[in-house]
Amino acid sequence: MRRSFGWPVAAALLVLGASACGGTSAEGQRGTDEETPTSDADAWVSAEDYHPDRFAESAQVDHRWYPLEPGTRADYRGSSIEEGERLHHGVTIIVTDLVKVIDGVPNVVVWERDYTDGELVETELALFAQDEDGNIWHMGEYPEEWEDGEFDKAPAWVHGIAGATAGITIPADPRTGTPDYAQGFAPKPINWVDRGRVYKTGERTCVPEACYSDVVVVEEFERTIPDAFQDKYYAPGVGVVRVGWRGENDESKEVLELVDFRRLSPEELAEVREDARALEDRAYRISADVFGQTPRSEVASP
């Protein structure tokens, strides 16, 4: 399964100015991930720490490195390799003002569209929630995959349904030298087994949108595929600004950079809401056994 992007930016950008600060090499040396775990590693959050009572009644997500502000649109551009050919790749992500309750936990609904050479290849609803300690949880997703303009499949998974469980997208206090963690789990045939680990902190990087400091890099991987990592660069007050890769066994070699973001107008947000609800309607029909078992999304309270 394609590793979901689904990491939007929030409204406030921390711009350091136009001074050059190069991005970290996609094939840089492994570093902090091989350090000896810190003394308090045993207290590190893991997916096993999930409990619905540890979440507030609000769906607000204000994580320092991963804020999800409704009405934010982020556009990314880059490339990836498919069938031996490097193709243009674009991702557009919008944080909707919809809330979906899963296992009693209110989730922000994020709408993602993924393009290859200008053609839509995936559209997705992704669900994220922040617990009372500030950890961000990925609670499920409905991805529609398209090929040559035709619907192909929708490998949806949702916490608590068909053996799937929530996982952590980014911990509240990202620190190097801490153990890796599950980013969610769904058994076969979905086979969602992504894991994350804090790879670097305190980084600086520049992308077309701006330059950023105090960046946290989270590496994502599957244990069954050694030496293949996707790196996501999280900027404070922003979210993901860059995606890179490392390792001989990384097949897609995907690179993405934030090229533009803006806050939607109320009218634009209303249109997005209807589009996201239309996708949800399809999810109830196409994924009746998974997404169809969840309650309908509601507009977030002001």
Side-chain angles (χ1 to χ4, degrees):
M1 177 184 295
R2 184 188 67 85
R3 186 168 291 134
S4 174
F5 189 61
W7 281 262
V9 297
L13 277 173
L14 301 184
V15 180
L16 299 181
S19 60
C21 54
T24 303
S25 169
E27 298 181 271
Q29 296 295 316
R30 288 179 64 84
T32 53
D33 61 309
E34 294 181 347
E35 295 174 1
T36 302
T38 55
S39 59
D40 58 347
D42 290 341
W44 187 245
V45 64
S46 75
E48 295 179 354
D49 295 319
Y50 169 84
H51 195 283
D53 291 344
R54 296 180 178 177
F55 294 80
E57 295 182 0
S58 168
Q60 180 179 4
V61 174
D62 58 2
H63 189 282
R64 172 172 167 78
W65 285 276
Y66 188 56
L68 300 179
E69 182 73 20
T72 300
R73 169 174 172 150
D75 290 284
Y76 302 82
R77 296 292 182 268
S79 64
S80 59
I81 293 178
E82 297 184 20
E83 299 180 353
E85 182 181 1
R86 181 163 288 280
L87 304 175
H88 295 293
H89 189 191
V91 176
T92 295
I93 296 174
I94 300 176
V95 186
T96 77
D97 61 354
L98 295 174
V99 174
K100 194 175 189 69
V101 177
I102 303 296
D103 192 26
V105 176
N107 282 253
V108 174
V109 179
V110 174
W111 179 32
E112 173 186 336
R113 285 168 291 173
D114 197 327
Y115 300 87
T116 297
D117 277 356
E119 178 181 339
L120 180 68
V121 294
E122 184 168 324
T123 181
E124 173 181 301
L125 298 177
L127 309 175
F128 298 95
Q130 179 174 296
D131 68 22
E132 292 178 341
D133 293 325
N135 305 295
I136 305 300
W137 294 79
H138 188 191
M139 300 282 286
E141 60 184 30
Y142 172 76
E144 280 188 0
E145 298 180 13
W146 294 72
E147 187 172 347
D148 297 327
E150 299 291 334
F151 172 78
D152 183 26
K153 59 183 180 292
W157 67 273
V158 175
H159 170 81
I161 299 176
T165 55
I168 299 164
T169 295
I170 185 170
D173 180 22
R175 288 169 285 139
T176 58
T178 46
D180 61 284
Y181 49 85
Q183 294 191 310
F185 171 77
K188 295 180 178 179
I190 303 302
N191 199 35
W192 180 274
V193 292
D194 287 9
R195 301 191 69 81
R197 178 168 45 214
V198 180
Y199 176 52
K200 293 181 179 180
T201 60
E203 293 291 293
R204 297 183 67 187
T205 192
C206 285
V207 295
E209 177 61 31
C211 293
Y212 308 93
S213 64
D214 197 20
V215 171
V216 170
V217 183
V218 173
E219 62 177 10
E220 299 182 352
F221 59 95
E222 295 182 18
R223 286 175 169 171
T224 58
I225 307 177
D227 200 22
F229 301 92
Q230 184 178 76
D231 294 335
K232 291 191 169 71
Y233 293 66
Y234 293 81
V238 181
V240 169
V241 297
R242 177 189 296 277
V243 177
W245 64 275
R246 288 177 293 114
E248 293 183 358
N249 294 326
D250 188 288
E251 295 183 354
S252 70
K253 295 177 174 54
E254 181 179 41
V255 292
L256 288 169
E257 295 180 332
L258 179 65
V259 297
D260 186 54
F261 90 97
R262 63 186 179 90
R263 288 300 304 274
L264 301 179
S265 68
E267 294 76 18
E268 290 172 322
L269 182 56
E271 292 181 6
V272 164
R273 184 188 313 133
E274 294 308 306
D275 288 339
R277 280 179 159 168
L279 181 54
E280 184 180 53
D281 287 342
R282 295 203 300 273
Y284 276 86
R285 297 194 306 270
I286 296 172
S287 180
D289 57 339
V290 176
F291 221 77
Q293 303 303 307
T294 66
R296 292 276 180 175
S297 298
E298 300 290 342
V299 180
S301 302

